[in-house]
Amino acid sequence: MKILFVHQNFPAQFLHLAPALAARGHDVLALTDEKNARPSPVRVVRYKAPGELNLPPMLGRTFSEMAERGWLAARGCRALRDRHGYTPDVIFGHSGWGETLFLREIWPDAKLLVYAELMYRTRGHDVGFDPEISPDSDEGRVGTVARSAHLIQGLVQADAGLAPTEYQADSFPPELRGKLTVIHDGIDTLKVCPNPQAEFLLPDGCKLRAGDEVLTYVSRSLEPYRGFHRFMRALPEVLRARPNAQVVLVGGDGVSYGGLPKDAAGWKEKLLAELEGRLDLSRIHFMGRVPYPQYLALLQVSRVHCYLTYPFVLSWSLTEAMAAGCYIVGSDTEPVRELLRDGENGRLVPFFDQPALEAALIRGLTGDPDAARLQAAARQTILQAYDLHRHSLPRLIDWVEGFAP
């Protein structure tokens, strides 16, 4: 079977699936943005990257941008068809950037599958969730409806879709939810596991080891969507109560979701200014983005790992922290509750309850008597339902192969 993966940032969610299908004898090819330099586990072709459209602010801006990328991806596919005679049996692409919008026009007989990560919604999700950062408004809700157009069209055109969690699948309207199958990308629990010998080197040369009093926070970007502002505001009290604690944060200074603050270059700068004079900065270590082995070692030395999020896409970092056997303090928001249960495999606190967050972090750093049980249960949750080799990958392979002609 000929299978074409489409993702502007390939391999991304297809990191394990694409080579596994190739290993089973399928002819696997990936189409990606020409600017994507990430190593690929399978053969790759590239399409022309979108240029600046210079569009004025308008409700149709997002769709215009996604349609432009979709057309460039379709042109790349047309070249494969016309110059090389390539015709896939199955196309599997991420619908979030519009790349799958026009592929049925190039290959009308191919099965079209989409990775449906999340549908934007005007109520009950991220929009209006945090009044301090993005107050609820008619304009905000209207804009959310407008920027959902390409996601709806992408799933309407597809034969079927895949979502990684029930929460993310349920974000789509009932009319489309029936097209979705829920299978998590999977965690390689042989690599992501507890390691009592783990060490993490700080920039100042200090070495942290498993068992040390280490509080960790990880996000692709240090931003409100992942509760960065709530975490930072908890640190003065946490550091006062735990004078030997070290805090390590991993994440970039930009934004992955939402926007930048109006009065600072980034959220890190804004929160440090807000908390000036209240933080012992010698014990707070901003690492930026780090290589994966270093990130994994950090999870393995962590005594308490804090994961906070708006009602939004669930981060891989939560599932990896659970697989690593971390003691996790998480936000009591819907995507987190799907995996983390208070008192069973972690601790949950209301997203906006600052004293509760501080108390939970201090409790974990001090030595929660239930810590070992919670940590073991967190890893067992991943082993039972999210393990890459035993659960996710076999199901993903079966799902894709089920569309064979």
Side-chain angles (χ1 to χ4, degrees):
M1 182 166 67
K2 290 185 178 180
I3 304 170
L4 176 67
F5 286 94
V6 182
H7 196 305
Q8 53 92 26
N9 196 31
F10 188 85
Q13 288 91 351
F14 307 130
L15 174 64
H16 302 292
L17 177 60
L21 288 166
R24 290 173 63 83
H26 298 293
D27 181 353
V28 177
L29 180 67
L31 180 76
T32 192
D33 188 302
E34 65 180 356
K35 295 181 179 179
N36 178 17
R38 287 169 173 78
S40 171
V42 298
R43 188 163 59 98
V44 170
V45 293
R46 291 175 167 81
Y47 64 82
K48 180 178 173 60
E52 290 293 331
L53 296 184
N54 296 318
L55 296 171
M58 59 182 182
L59 291 176
R61 182 185 182 95
T62 297
F63 185 81
S64 295
E65 292 174 343
M66 301 309 169
E68 176 73 9
R69 181 179 286 276
W71 173 229
L72 291 171
R75 286 173 58 185
C77 290
R78 184 174 64 181
L80 283 173
R81 182 195 67 187
D82 295 348
R83 297 177 192 170
H84 305 285
Y86 178 81
T87 299
D89 299 301
V90 172
I91 305 167
F92 190 6
H94 196 302
S95 62
W97 293 276
E99 291 164 297
T100 66
L101 283 174
F102 310 120
L103 299 189
R104 193 174 290 286
E105 306 311 312
I106 307 300
W107 291 301
D109 296 327
K111 292 293 185 182
L112 178 59
L113 314 178
V114 296
Y115 190 96
E117 194 163 14
L118 188 81
M119 172 60 69
Y120 306 130
R121 297 179 67 172
T122 58
R123 292 175 175 84
H125 285 216
D126 57 315
V127 176
F129 173 75
D130 190 347
E132 174 193 352
I133 307 299
S134 55
D136 190 21
S137 68
D138 294 335
E139 289 80 4
R141 291 193 301 275
V142 167
T144 298
V145 172
R147 64 190 177 97
S148 300
H150 73 286
L151 299 172
I152 294 171
Q153 185 174 341
L155 188 50
V156 166
Q157 291 185 329
D159 292 288
L162 185 82
T165 68
E166 294 288 346
Y167 167 78
Q168 287 165 248
D170 290 345
S171 69
F172 287 83
E175 297 86 349
L176 297 176
R177 175 63 176 86
K179 278 192 166 185
L180 296 178
T181 296
V182 177
I183 308 175
H184 191 266
D185 308 317
I187 301 300
D188 188 343
T189 59
L190 298 177
K191 292 182 179 178
V192 186
C193 59
N195 180 9
Q197 282 73 50
E199 296 180 343
F200 184 87
L201 188 65
L202 294 172
D204 62 6
C206 178
K207 189 176 290 185
L208 303 176
R209 297 176 173 85
D212 290 346
E213 194 170 339
V214 181
L215 171 60
T216 56
Y217 171 94
V218 173
S219 178
R220 184 189 308 170
S221 300
L222 305 178
E223 58 186 331
Y225 261 74
R226 300 308 189 193
F228 174 66
H229 55 321
R230 313 307 302 187
F231 179 76
M232 287 296 294
R233 289 166 181 165
L235 292 185
E237 182 59 25
V238 170
L239 293 175
R240 185 199 65 77
R242 304 303 304 167
N244 294 319
Q246 299 288 328
V247 182
V248 185
L249 300 93
V250 167
D253 285 337
V255 292
S256 300
Y257 312 107
L260 290 166
K262 296 178 180 179
D263 53 353
W267 292 102
K268 173 185 169 183
E269 178 183 299
K270 178 176 175 62
L271 269 296
L272 287 176
E274 176 186 321
L275 299 168
E276 186 175 4
R278 299 175 58 201
L279 296 172
D280 181 356
L281 295 177
S282 68
R283 293 194 283 143
I284 302 176
H285 312 279
F286 292 95
M287 303 299 300
R289 294 179 178 175
V290 301
Y292 188 81
Q294 192 177 359
Y295 154 74
L296 180 55
L298 178 63
L299 294 179
Q300 291 167 332
V301 304
S302 176
R303 182 179 294 186
V304 177
H305 180 73
C306 184
Y307 178 74
L308 309 174
T309 184
Y310 286 7
F312 198 61
V313 170
L314 190 76
S315 307
W316 281 341
S317 66
L318 175 62
T319 48
E320 289 173 322
M322 293 175 72
C326 288
Y327 176 100
I328 300 170
V329 173
S331 58
D332 191 7
T333 47
E334 192 174 354
V336 180
R337 287 197 299 269
E338 188 170 330
L339 278 83
L340 209 63
R341 295 172 296 280
D342 186 46
E344 293 184 25
N345 58 0
R347 299 293 185 192
L348 293 178
V349 296
F351 186 91
F352 298 107
D353 191 334
Q354 207 66 39
L357 175 59
E358 294 165 358
L361 296 177
I362 292 168
R363 178 184 186 180
L365 291 170
T366 302
D368 186 338
D370 293 324
R373 175 180 62 81
L374 297 175
Q375 290 171 261
R379 177 166 171 80
Q380 191 61 30
T381 298
I382 302 302
L383 289 171
Q384 288 180 342
Y386 300 87
D387 181 83
L388 175 67
H389 298 292
R390 284 183 283 183
H391 298 284
S392 294
L393 193 54
R395 291 186 63 204
L396 287 167
I397 291 171
D398 287 348
W399 185 73
V400 173
E401 290 184 339
F403 294 94

